[in-house]
Amino acid sequence: MVESPARVAAPSPPTASPQENEETVLEVRRLNFYYDGDALALSDINMKILRHRVTALIGPSGCGKSTFLRLFNRMNDLIPGTRVEGQVLFEGVDIYGSDLDPVDLRRRVGMVFQKPNPFPKSIYNNVAYGPRLLGLCDQTALDGLVERSLKQAALWNEVKDILHHSALGLSGGQQQRLCIARALANQPEVLLMDEPTSALDPIATAHIEELVGELRRDYTVVIVTHNMQQAARVSDETAFFYMGKLVEMDKTSLIFTRPRHAQTEHYITGRFG
Amino acid sequence: MNTRTLASRKARQSLAFGIIRLAMLMVVGALGGIILLLVVQGIGAINWTFLTDVPRDSMTKGGIFPAIVGTIYLTLGALLTALPLGLASAVYLSEYATQGRLLGLVRLGIQNLAGVPSVVFGLFGLALFVVHFHMGVSLAAGSLTLGLLILPTVIGASEEALRAVPAMFREASLSLGATRWQTIRKVVLPAAMPGILTGSILGIGRAAGETAPIMFTAATFYTLQLPSSPWQEVMALPYHIYVLATAGTHIDQTRPLQFGTVLVLITLVLGMSLTAILIRSRLRKSKKW
């Protein structure tokens, strides 16, 4: 695994003391989630996600962490028969309340998927996709937004001369950064990442991890990962899920040095999972 | 306990493979035989005049140009009818409809539509388009009837192409704040379009060769002029063959022309299929998902 020396341990944000900077963006209250009407996949979850932090969701396969992540942009709505109880507050508004349109929500809460999934379109048209949905068609504005987004995703230098080539010609790691750029072009407040490096090689993974560290400055990031070293490297807060329950959540440095629960300790020391 | 020797197992294998080979040879042989017969009998009739002139001397001389043009018009008309309707149905079935009894009924209906004999389509077209909508025997009525005939094929091809678009494209689009319609229009349809088009063109080969649906709705035995509007009747290759072979006054004298006409029709249909297959294989190569 490639690591930049500065990011071996989870860094705490250099500015300000935690108390002053802790603003909750997403809050989950007494949440239960069911597949097929009555199969309980998540039970009684309570969680606060802080602005401009990277929150890692870890846990063994099938523990519900990806399901949980997809609650935040209501992607679970696409699966018939699912049901949500409890509240998910985004800036104080319950996103499962009746007056919030998921289409609107997804513009503010972007997502990057496990497998890079650029559209079979040009690099430019991939990034411009979201803004165009909103009706932005001013060429200069679009150009600027595409450039800015690709720069934020650390891809600009590699693709600036081939913007109108097919996105499918890029390598897997480049495609995943393109997907990040595509999500950022919507200027979301929150970026959800569902195991974004699980399909990538170590070098591409290191690129993405470095990028996540930088995205923290402008965005709130929630990342699901299978890889505990990755959680330790990139995140400020870590939540450990086991069998549909949130076992514990704390600052990453604490979770990895002094976990309060035996299950957490067993998992992060590799005894199961 | 019956233990079989290796030799006997191999013999059985040879026998099975032999039967399979024979079956394959019969299929290919039938097609080859038909084409060979047509080429041998029909090639003599084909020359420039035959392809570009109108029929003369009670069909015993001259060419089949109006019938070629009529068949091309009818085929295009059928495609124009079936493609929008079939595409919309396929989008509904594969993107919007929720599984349930209604969807099951709709699918059953489409499957049954595919099994309806073509002469029934012809009579339906006669009753609805020709008589009820006062279109008369015309290019328009024939195109609509043929369009209905190939509708199940177009729906099937379109649904298959839509299903082949990976779910991850839809997820990506929705996650960027697209509505379902925006997702369909901007991501799903462009990705599926090559498959939809080639599937539909393959299906339309069938329409080009059908006689029954057009004999009451569009085709005429003899006209010297090419259609100048959709409301005129047209000559068409399949109907021309039917008439020459069964209803003409000089059936024996027109025999070479019959073979020539069949050869032209089958070349047209095979050409269409071949083009579709070529386009499809080229597009498959450029696809990377």
Side-chain angles (χ1 to χ4, degrees), chain B:
Chain B
M1 187 99 172
N2 178 17
T3 317
R4 288 178 181 149
T5 62
L6 183 62
S8 103
R9 287 192 291 136
K10 285 204 160 175
R12 279 160 191 274
Q13 167 167 291
S14 311
L15 184 69
F17 283 178
I19 292 171
I20 292 168
R21 254 186 223 114
L22 198 67
M24 186 272 294
L25 277 176
M26 278 163 72
V27 172
V28 176
L31 178 67
I34 291 171
I35 292 177
L36 191 70
L37 177 77
L38 290 180
V39 170
V40 168
Q41 300 270 0
I43 198 82
I46 294 191
N47 53 48
W48 188 246
T49 313
F50 185 68
L51 294 175
T52 56
D53 200 6
V54 297
R56 295 183 195 284
D57 292 347
S58 307
M59 305 278 174
T60 56
K61 295 211 173 60
I64 53 165
F65 184 61
I68 295 176
V69 172
T71 285
I72 290 174
Y73 280 174
L74 280 169
T75 311
L76 286 177
L79 194 62
L80 285 179
T81 308
L83 202 55
L85 219 56
L87 190 50
S89 310
V91 168
Y92 169 76
L93 288 172
S94 86
E95 306 290 322
Y96 275 108
T98 43
Q99 302 297 320
R101 187 169 293 177
L102 178 69
L103 189 64
L105 273 174
V106 172
R107 282 188 198 285
L108 194 68
I110 293 168
Q111 278 161 17
N112 277 304
L113 195 63
V116 171
S118 57
V119 67
V120 176
F121 277 97
L123 291 170
F124 175 75
L126 173 68
L128 187 70
F129 303 125
V130 177
V131 178
H132 187 73
F133 288 143
H134 304 291
M135 289 183 183
V137 174
S138 63
L139 182 55
S143 295
L144 289 169
T145 308
L146 282 178
L148 290 184
L149 177 80
I150 60 164
L151 199 52
T153 317
V154 174
I155 293 173
S158 306
E159 254 201 289
E160 198 187 328
L162 289 170
R163 259 201 304 271
V165 177
M168 62 179 187
F169 291 160
R170 295 182 180 84
E171 279 202 327
S173 173
L174 292 169
S175 82
L176 290 164
T179 61
R180 283 166 85 190
W181 173 239
Q182 282 175 319
T183 300
I184 290 167
R185 193 164 50 85
K186 290 171 174 253
V187 175
V188 179
L189 279 182
M193 207 36 112
I196 291 170
L197 279 178
T198 49
S200 303
I201 296 172
L202 280 175
I204 206 149
R206 187 180 158 211
E210 283 287 352
T211 313
I214 55 169
M215 63 194 292
F216 315 121
T217 57
T220 181
F221 172 52
Y222 182 64
T223 174
L224 284 179
Q225 55 183 169
L226 297 177
S228 58
S229 88
W231 313 113
Q232 287 181 322
E233 49 188 11
V234 292
M235 286 181 73
L237 290 170
Y239 187 65
H240 192 65
I241 293 160
Y242 167 74
V243 168
L244 288 188
T246 61
T249 42
H250 310 281
I251 293 177
D252 286 331
Q253 285 169 343
T254 61
R255 193 75 78 199
L257 295 189
Q258 292 170 29
F259 276 108
T261 312
V262 173
L263 188 59
V264 170
L265 176 61
I266 211 158
T267 308
L268 217 63
V269 172
L270 288 181
M272 267 192 280
S273 301
L274 210 63
T275 315
I277 289 167
L278 282 177
I279 295 172
R280 189 171 57 183
S281 72
R282 183 168 302 174
L283 287 167
R284 270 195 190 145
K285 260 183 240 155
S286 66
K287 253 189 215 172
K288 281 187 189 154
W289 69 80

Side-chain angles (χ1 to χ4, degrees), chain A residues 23-72:
Chain A
E23 189 192 341
T24 304
V25 178
L26 288 160
E27 183 175 358
V28 178
R29 286 188 192 157
R30 304 194 63 86
L31 182 117
N32 296 322
F33 181 82
Y34 303 84
Y35 282 114
D36 290 327
D38 52 359
L40 189 63
L42 293 168
S43 71
D44 197 26
I45 311 258
N46 293 283
M47 185 189 284
K48 283 182 178 176
I49 287 172
L50 305 177
R51 189 182 297 284
H52 293 186
R53 301 292 167 83
V54 176
T55 303
L57 311 179
I58 64 168
S61 299
C63 69
K65 55 194 191 302
S66 284
T67 302
F68 183 69
L69 185 77
R70 294 161 80 95
L71 286 170
F72 292 126

Side-chain angles (χ1 to χ4, degrees), chain A residues 163-179:
Chain A
L163 287 177
H164 297 285
H165 290 212
S166 169
L168 301 180
L170 297 174
S171 73
Q174 289 174 323
Q175 287 190 1
Q176 195 61 303
R177 277 179 282 149
L178 177 64
C179 292

Side-chain angles (χ1 to χ4, degrees), chain A residues 253-267:
Chain A
S253 50
L254 291 176
I255 288 274
F256 281 90
T257 51
R258 292 194 298 280
R260 278 172 290 147
H261 287 75
Q263 274 172 333
T264 316
E265 188 179 347
H266 289 167
Y267 182 69

